């Protein structure tokens, strides 16, 4: 079962890649950029949300501060949710100064997207209903025997495949003149590529020995495979957002909503199916000992 779980992380992308590169953390195959966006109406435009009423770098700085506080609290407790929280923090730090074409749009998207994340985090803790993909992700993180790679993928699946389409549909997908925001959406893949390798190293040193086994340095296979899966999820999120914003009737829109729920739930069940009985205790002991050593 452990071999299967490793396979989920390492070969999910299904790619044949070179055995070594100078900087595996920066590899980004730009295939999404070759896929043109569909036409969507310009009637939906970006707008202020909680924690970002007016787009500025302060919105992102506030989010970084809140994510850092969350991660430090989870990290101190060896809470399995700390892994995704740290990934979210580092990706947001990378997004802060990235030269997007429309930084205003991206600030609102980042703020709106993170609001959904924190909302579902609070709702689950309070016992309130959350989307099925998030329910599975948090059930595994809090009670299951998933490895660290599964925990990160489960949360990534829920946030990307379930949440992201609704954010784009809420904030708009084209400028008032009709210029697509897809190049900025695709650019996030480059930011992700820049943090994946460092995250894997940190996870291996602090949270889960699994990451020392799946890290194939100097080959970038493990990072590329995971990144390609996430990129496919992100491309699907963009297409589902197009379907949402182009829906002509409430019934048509509901069909899209149902398909988003179903797809993200199927993925969550698949990723969670590779847990290994008893592995939670191993992870917790490893985390506790390595945090003591670090202290």
């Amino acid at each position: 079962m452990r071999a299967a779980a490793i396979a989920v992380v390492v070969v999910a992308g299904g790619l044949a890649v070179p055995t070594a590169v100078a900087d595996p953390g920066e590899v980004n195959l730009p295939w999404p950029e070759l896929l043109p966006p569909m036409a969507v109406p310009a009637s939906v435009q970006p707008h202020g949300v909680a924690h970002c009423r007016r787009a500025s770098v302060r919105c992102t700085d506030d989010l970084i501060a809140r994510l850092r506080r969350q991660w430090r609290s989870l990290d101190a407790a060896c809470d399995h949710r700390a892994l995704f929280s740290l990934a979210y923090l580092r990706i947001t730090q990378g997004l802060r100064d990235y030269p997007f074409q429309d930084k205003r749009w991206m600030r609102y998207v980042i703020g709106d997207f993170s609001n959904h994340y924190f909302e579902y985090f609070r709702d689950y803790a309070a016992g309130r209903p959350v989307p099925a993909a998030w329910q599975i992700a948090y059930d595994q993180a809090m009670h299951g025997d998933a490895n660290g790679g599964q925990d990160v993928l489960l949360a990534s699946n829920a946030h990307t495949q379930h949440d992201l389409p609704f954010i784009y549909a809420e904030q708009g997908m084209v400028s008032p003149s009709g210029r697509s925001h897809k190049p900025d959406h695709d650019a996030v893949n480059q930011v992700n590529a820049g943090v994946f390798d460092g995250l894997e190293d940190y996870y291996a040193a602090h949270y889960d020995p699994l990451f020392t086994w799946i890290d194939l340095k100097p080959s970038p296979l493990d990072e590329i495979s995971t990144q390609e899966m996430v990129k496919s999820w992100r491309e699907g999120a963009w297409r589902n957002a197009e379907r949402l914003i182009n829906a002509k009737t409430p019934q048509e829109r509901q069909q899209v909503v149902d398909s988003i729920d179903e797809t993200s739930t199927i993925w969550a069940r698949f990723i969670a199916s590779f847990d290994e009985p008893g592995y939670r205790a191993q992870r917790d002991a490893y985390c506790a000992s390595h945090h003591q050593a670090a202290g």
Side-chain angles (χ1 to χ4, degrees):
M1 184 64 74
R2 180 173 296 180
I6 293 173
V8 171
V9 180
V10 177
V11 302
L15 298 175
V17 298
T19 57
V21 295
D23 187 357
E26 295 295 332
V27 173
N28 178 38
L29 306 177
W31 59 266
E33 299 170 21
L34 303 177
L35 305 177
M38 293 177 59
V40 297
S43 54
V44 181
Q45 290 298 312
H47 54 271
V49 295
H51 300 286
C52 191
R53 296 301 181 186
R54 183 175 180 180
S56 75
V57 71
R58 289 191 293 274
C59 298
T60 311
D61 286 341
D62 173 70
L63 174 57
I64 288 171
R66 287 184 290 126
L67 286 168
R68 185 180 290 114
R69 288 195 297 271
Q70 182 197 60
W71 169 67
R72 286 176 174 170
S73 176
L74 297 173
D75 173 72
C78 279
D79 190 307
H80 294 191
R81 295 171 296 178
L83 282 75
F84 184 71
S85 182
L86 178 61
Y88 209 150
L89 170 61
R90 291 195 178 179
I91 291 169
T92 304
Q93 290 170 329
L95 295 173
R96 182 189 187 277
D97 298 315
Y98 193 88
F100 294 107
Q101 293 180 7
D102 191 334
K103 289 187 177 181
R104 177 176 176 272
W105 175 78
M106 184 55 74
R107 300 287 186 207
Y108 284 136
V109 165
I110 292 170
D112 202 358
F113 196 32
S114 65
N115 285 345
H116 282 62
Y117 165 69
F118 281 108
E119 177 186 354
Y120 294 142
F121 187 93
R122 293 190 299 267
D123 284 347
Y124 181 89
R128 294 187 290 267
V130 297
W134 276 117
Q135 184 75 40
I136 294 168
Y138 284 142
D139 282 349
Q140 280 291 331
M142 299 303 293
H143 311 293
D145 284 311
N147 61 60
Q150 289 170 275
D151 281 336
V152 175
L153 289 178
L154 283 165
S156 297
N157 163 65
H159 202 34
T160 302
Q161 297 211 84
H162 181 273
D163 301 349
L164 189 55
F166 298 105
I167 304 307
Y168 286 147
E170 291 170 6
Q171 294 294 337
M173 305 181 74
V174 296
S175 71
S177 65
R179 186 182 69 178
S180 176
H181 293 304
K182 191 170 189 292
D184 283 339
H185 160 79
D186 291 336
V188 176
N189 294 325
Q190 185 61 49
V191 176
N192 289 342
V195 304
F196 277 11
D197 191 49
L199 281 170
E200 188 177 65
D201 291 342
Y202 193 93
Y203 294 160
H206 296 85
Y207 296 129
D208 189 341
L210 171 81
F211 289 98
T212 64
W213 306 332
I214 66 175
D215 192 345
L216 305 178
K217 286 185 182 69
S219 168
L221 175 60
D222 49 318
E223 289 90 0
I224 290 179
S225 297
T226 302
Q227 185 179 338
E228 289 308 303
M229 179 165 60
V230 174
K231 280 160 67 174
S232 73
W233 292 350
R234 299 192 73 256
E235 183 65 22
W238 181 269
R239 302 306 171 182
N240 280 329
E242 291 175 332
R243 295 169 62 207
L244 285 170
I245 209 168
N246 281 328
K248 303 300 183 185
T249 65
Q251 293 77 15
E252 185 177 339
R253 190 180 191 279
Q254 187 60 49
Q255 289 178 346
V256 181
V257 171
D258 291 343
S259 71
I260 290 170
D261 287 338
E262 182 178 6
T263 298
S264 59
T265 302
I266 289 172
W267 267 99
R269 289 172 177 162
F270 170 69
I271 296 167
S273 69
F274 294 95
D275 61 353
E276 179 180 356
Y279 194 62
R280 184 178 193 86
Q282 297 180 47
R283 282 182 61 185
D284 290 346
Y286 183 88
C287 180
S289 65
H290 282 69
H291 276 59
Q292 291 172 358

